[in-house]
Amino acid sequence: MMAAPAPLTSGIVIDGRYEVVRPLGAGGMGEVYAVRRKSLGDEVALKRLLPHQDSPSNRARFATEAQAAAHIRHPNVIQVFDYGEDPAVGPYLVMEKLDGPTLAEELADGPIALGRALWIFSAVCAAVEAGHRRGIVHRDLKPANVIIAPTDDGRQVVKVLDFGLAVDLRLAARDITTPGAVIGTVAYMAPEQTEGNPASARSDVFALGVMLYEMVSGKLPFEGKSSLDTLMAINGGRYRPVKEHVPHVTAGVIE
């Protein structure tokens, strides 16, 4: 049985190379820290599994995240620098540290202006296309996995992250997903995902459409009182046209 990784506190040095500075946040499976690279003195982000999520299957999924992101070289995909395992910390992933809000946080204030929404959408599409060219399907595209980060020249850049559910279609035999398992975030799933069938590039395209609808209208196209209701709405193709939420939206956006 694997020992639970120790809590990370400021000053701890991981693998002799990364000094923990401060926590940045945590999700359902992992937690992220700002760390200082001792060789360069700069700050990067280090992600590791939460102690109660440290299982063989999650370790495999964590490695998938590192490998998928590392194989996609694109300005709109988060850059991965390193992957390793420390006896006291467990497996870890080192990536660029992004300081901007997530798209989900921006959407908390309501719909996004059409021009900005299309700019974000185009960048996310470019990132997804880069993955598809490599045979990599993200499978969990959603606003929480998109960050709008500031750049040193005062601009902003859109970054797609969290490839923990990604699958390399060229290596389908190595997919660790249990056959028939429902993988992803319900509101953004394509019909085939809701039925437990394998995801494809088209599944990502479906999620992109849901995200654009949400950015323009501030609403999700498929909603229900429960996850099951939402799954049924997706499978039945039942949604309100975006023009009902935003009457002035141009035809080119909704077609």
Side-chain angles (χ1 to χ4, degrees), residues 140-166:
D140 196 23
L141 290 169
K142 57 185 177 182
N145 286 339
V146 175
I147 284 183
I148 300 100
T151 60
D152 289 340
D153 61 1
R155 302 182 185 183
Q156 291 182 311
V157 63
V158 176
K159 295 276 188 175
V160 175
L161 58 150
D162 202 345
F163 285 78
L165 295 183

Side-chain angles (χ1 to χ4, degrees), residues 52-78:
H52 67 277
Q53 293 285 6
D54 192 2
S55 66
S57 62
N58 281 343
R59 284 190 175 217
R61 202 177 299 286
F62 198 57
T64 295
E65 176 176 0
Q67 293 163 2
H71 280 83
I72 306 172
R73 301 296 177 88
H74 192 275
N76 297 118
V77 175
I78 191 167

